[in-house]
Amino acid sequence: MKAFLILEDGTVFTGTSIGSDREMISEIVFNTSMTGYLEVLTDPSYAGQAVVMTYPLIGNYGVTPDMESRRAWPDGYIVREISRMPSNFRCEGSLTDFLKKQDIPGIAGVDTRTLTKRLREMGTMNGMITTNEDYDLEKILPRLKEYRIGDVVSAVSCQQRYVLKGEGPRVALLDFGAKNNIARSLNRRGCEVTVYPAHTYAKEIIASKPDGVMLSNGPGNPETNTSIIQEIRKLYETDIPIFAICLGHQLMALANGGRTYKLKYGHRGGNHPVKDLENGRVYISSQNHGYAVDAASMDRAVAREAFVNVNDGTNEGLVYEGKKIFTVQFHPEACPGPQDSGYLFDRFMEMMKGA
């Protein structure tokens, strides 16, 4: 079945329908990872977006037991070529069947190199995937320009708190769309992790007397989470050690007077270099975000810049003065990789011991 990807600037790509054949409108973003397509699909940070994979062959090892959340979250999936005969000893099915089961519309046979270059030149755009060969471009384009990502944090967060048992420090993990490997990374280090829904009040977390608080990754525009930002400010005012990743990093900055802004086309992939300003070392990191913290907007008496992106100089982390709080824009839990910055979980462990 033919399928069409229509961008809000009027560009149309023709390919083959994969997955669900329903029509969808979403924000179109690209990911440069060479592996880990299942982890990308099950990363809640992609809620409200359709993902273009720049690597030309996707699905060659099928679907494996590597889900990063309870389901797949992207609105759509766009690839150059999809493997219909996967081969791997852990394979539990094909990616095409997975997309159908998850009701995710997709399109294969697209020149993803040309598409990605267009997104880099023009900036992130909204788009539609449709199988309707009689589509009316004049009617579709206004709909694409009107599309906005809604309250996706509430949609991806857990609805009830749950506990991963451990014998070590007790960590409260606020789930704004957390990847499973964040809790696993803490649990492997002996922590007992209690995962809380995104809109949990700070007083409930403080009353549980955790040894540390973790603020997770998540989707959408950070500035729209006004009630969550207010609760994070209350957590900041305590002496509890806090470690925040991605959206959590942005929300902590907003809670302390900082600003965020939308990047032209975001950082998504497993090959982004970040520099630790304390020791000058560069780490290769996994990233997935369309917004960044404006480091210049932060009061230097409140926080100092700890990491920067080597490619474009954007902020990748902050350390809060006089507090046991540090935050990063990238993903130290990675999954599928790289594992360069996993040591940050050990830093958090030391911080909790010190407290």
Side-chain angles (χ1 to χ4, degrees):
M1 183 187 297
K2 271 189 178 181
F4 306 91
L5 170 65
I6 304 168
L7 300 181
E8 66 176 275
D9 69 348
T11 306
V12 179
F13 293 86
T14 302
T16 305
S17 175
I18 55 174
S20 170
D21 60 3
R22 67 179 174 84
E23 188 174 277
M24 77 95 221
I25 294 177
S26 189
E27 184 178 75
I28 312 297
V29 300
F30 63 88
N31 184 294
T32 59
S33 298
M34 297 174 67
T35 61
Y37 51 81
L38 186 63
E39 288 89 343
V40 169
L41 280 165
T42 56
D43 181 348
S45 294
Y46 283 110
Q49 298 174 325
V51 184
V52 181
M53 300 300 293
T54 63
Y55 191 72
L57 177 62
I58 299 296
N60 54 314
Y61 54 87
V63 174
T64 54
D66 299 315
M67 303 240 323
E68 276 299 295
S69 65
R70 64 186 182 276
R71 50 162 281 197
W73 292 102
D75 292 334
Y77 202 55
I78 303 152
V79 301
R80 177 70 184 91
E81 180 181 350
I82 194 160
S83 173
R84 300 185 184 276
M85 297 180 65
S87 176
N88 185 277
F89 74 100
R90 299 170 71 235
C91 179
E92 297 177 345
S94 71
L95 185 54
T96 50
D97 288 342
F98 179 79
L99 293 173
K100 289 177 182 176
K101 290 176 183 176
Q102 298 287 323
D103 195 30
I104 296 177
I107 180 170
V110 170
D111 184 344
T112 50
R113 181 178 177 83
T114 296
L115 173 56
T116 301
K117 287 176 72 175
R118 189 149 195 85
L119 294 174
R120 284 173 60 95
E121 291 165 4
M122 304 297 293
T124 297
M125 288 185 275
N126 296 334
M128 170 189 283
I129 295 176
T130 181
T131 57
N132 179 12
E133 296 190 40
D134 298 321
Y135 63 83
D136 187 334
L137 205 57
E138 289 187 6
K139 291 182 179 179
I140 289 172
L141 293 183
R143 292 172 59 195
L144 298 184
K145 293 182 187 298
E146 290 169 4
Y147 174 80
R148 296 291 183 272
I149 298 175
D151 180 14
V152 277
V153 168
S154 296
V156 301
S157 178
C158 64
Q159 300 305 305
Q160 294 182 327
R161 68 184 179 92
Y162 61 93
V163 180
L164 279 70
K165 292 292 186 181
E167 301 298 324
R170 293 178 301 109
V171 177
L173 169 58
L174 266 168
D175 176 13
F176 306 132
K179 292 170 66 180
N180 287 340
N181 206 42
I182 294 178
R184 284 197 301 258
S185 295
L186 293 166
N187 204 225
R188 279 197 298 267
R189 289 166 170 81
C191 295
E192 177 174 292
V193 183
T194 303
V195 184
Y196 290 88
H199 293 280
T200 303
Y201 291 116
K203 63 182 180 182
E204 180 181 340
I205 295 171
I206 295 167
S208 71
K209 298 183 179 179
D211 297 301
V213 171
M214 189 96 205
L215 307 180
S216 83
N217 62 292
N221 182 348
E223 292 182 356
T224 62
N225 299 285
T226 52
S227 61
I228 294 175
I229 291 167
Q230 291 173 4
E231 298 306 309
I232 289 176
R233 176 64 194 183
K234 295 172 186 176
L235 293 173
Y236 168 85
E237 291 170 351
T238 70
D239 292 325
I240 304 171
I242 300 175
F243 179 21
I245 293 172
C246 198
L247 180 63
H249 156 75
Q250 297 165 1
L251 296 177
M252 179 60 76
L254 290 168
N256 285 279
R259 294 191 301 270
T260 57
Y261 62 97
K262 190 169 186 176
L263 296 167
K264 185 176 180 180
Y265 48 80
H267 298 158
R268 298 174 182 89
N271 56 352
H272 291 265
V274 295
K275 184 177 183 179
D276 186 332
L277 297 180
E278 185 175 341
N279 57 28
R281 293 187 63 179
V282 174
Y283 302 91
I284 302 302
S285 69
S286 174
Q287 299 199 14
N288 172 18
H289 61 103
Y291 292 81
V293 172
D294 179 3
S297 70
M298 297 296 298
D299 184 341
R300 292 188 180 181
V302 174
R304 71 177 187 275
E305 197 166 31
F307 291 91
V308 295
N309 189 293
V310 176
N311 289 335
D312 60 13
T314 54
N315 176 258
E316 293 283 358
L318 295 165
V319 172
Y320 286 78
E321 303 289 358
K323 293 283 184 177
K324 297 180 176 67
I325 300 174
F326 70 99
T327 68
V328 294
Q329 181 62 76
F330 51 95
H331 286 261
E333 87 289 347
C335 206
Q339 306 294 328
D340 294 29
S341 55
Y343 74 93
L344 293 173
F345 285 99
D346 298 320
R347 180 184 293 181
F348 184 46
M349 294 293 291
E350 291 299 318
M351 188 181 291
M352 287 189 288
K353 289 178 183 176

